[in-house]
Amino acid sequence: ARFQTDRKFFGEVAKARIGGAEVILLKPSTLMNLSGKSVAAVSTFYKISPSEILVAHDELDLLPGTVRLKISGHNGLKSIVSCLGSSDFARLRIGIGHPRDRQLQIPVADYVLSRPPKEDLELISSAIEKALACIDEIVDGDFSRAMSALNEKTDSRK
């Protein structure tokens, strides 16, 4: 897919086919805490219900290389929940670890916005590849099958 900036969506948008379905891809240009504005604009324009939305995001509470599919919850997505008026959307949580796990004394925001170390980047890329292997099931709404493949325990946290 080729992304194009669209001001009315507050980000970049692309259309792609996954399996037999056409999907709309969105990369909001807003800050994470304001991304609901972008998601709601696309949702309203294309008449996409919250239950048809998948939000992929980084997750401090998961180690790098871990990926989880979840159907509800996540405090950091308050903007999306608020703007959609619903929390009925799937989340693809991609582990990045937490700076305190590495005894780093930097603010969490600086950690999240910095480039990960090479070994973490390889693990994160591996997690994304694992998620992509299940994308047909996710798009088809077969969450139980995707969750079974993605949510196997590989660390002792969430």
Side-chain angles (χ1 to χ4, degrees), residues 76-116:
L77 303 176
K78 286 181 183 177
S79 172
I80 296 173
V81 172
S82 174
C83 291
L84 288 178
S86 173
S87 62
D88 184 29
F89 55 89
R91 289 102 168 128
L92 186 65
R93 304 164 58 220
I94 302 166
I96 62 167
H98 196 285
R100 302 304 171 258
D101 294 340
R102 294 188 164 83
Q103 285 68 48
L104 298 174
Q105 299 304 314
I106 63 172
V108 170
D110 291 344
Y111 176 80
V112 169
L113 295 173
S114 66
R115 186 163 180 80

Side-chain angles (χ1 to χ4, degrees), residues 48-128:
I48 300 169
S49 71
S51 64
E52 297 174 300
I53 295 173
L54 172 68
V55 176
H57 64 89
D58 56 2
E59 178 64 61
L60 288 166
D61 292 333
L62 295 175
L63 293 173
T66 307
V67 61
R68 298 282 186 266
L69 180 64
K70 189 174 180 181
I71 304 304
S72 64
H74 186 282
N75 238 4
L77 303 176
K78 286 181 183 177
S79 172
I80 296 173
V81 172
S82 174
C83 291
L84 288 178
S86 173
S87 62
D88 184 29
F89 55 89
R91 289 102 168 128
L92 186 65
R93 304 164 58 220
I94 302 166
I96 62 167
H98 196 285
R100 302 304 171 258
D101 294 340
R102 294 188 164 83
Q103 285 68 48
L104 298 174
Q105 299 304 314
I106 63 172
V108 170
D110 291 344
Y111 176 80
V112 169
L113 295 173
S114 66
R115 186 163 180 80
K118 183 180 179 189
E119 60 274 7
D120 285 359
L121 189 56
E122 290 171 3
L123 291 168
I124 292 166
S125 294
S126 172
I128 292 169

Side-chain angles (χ1 to χ4, degrees), residues 130-144:
K130 186 175 179 181
L132 288 173
C134 297
I135 199 66
D136 286 343
E137 288 86 358
I138 294 169
V139 169
D140 288 342
D142 190 352
F143 293 117
S144 60

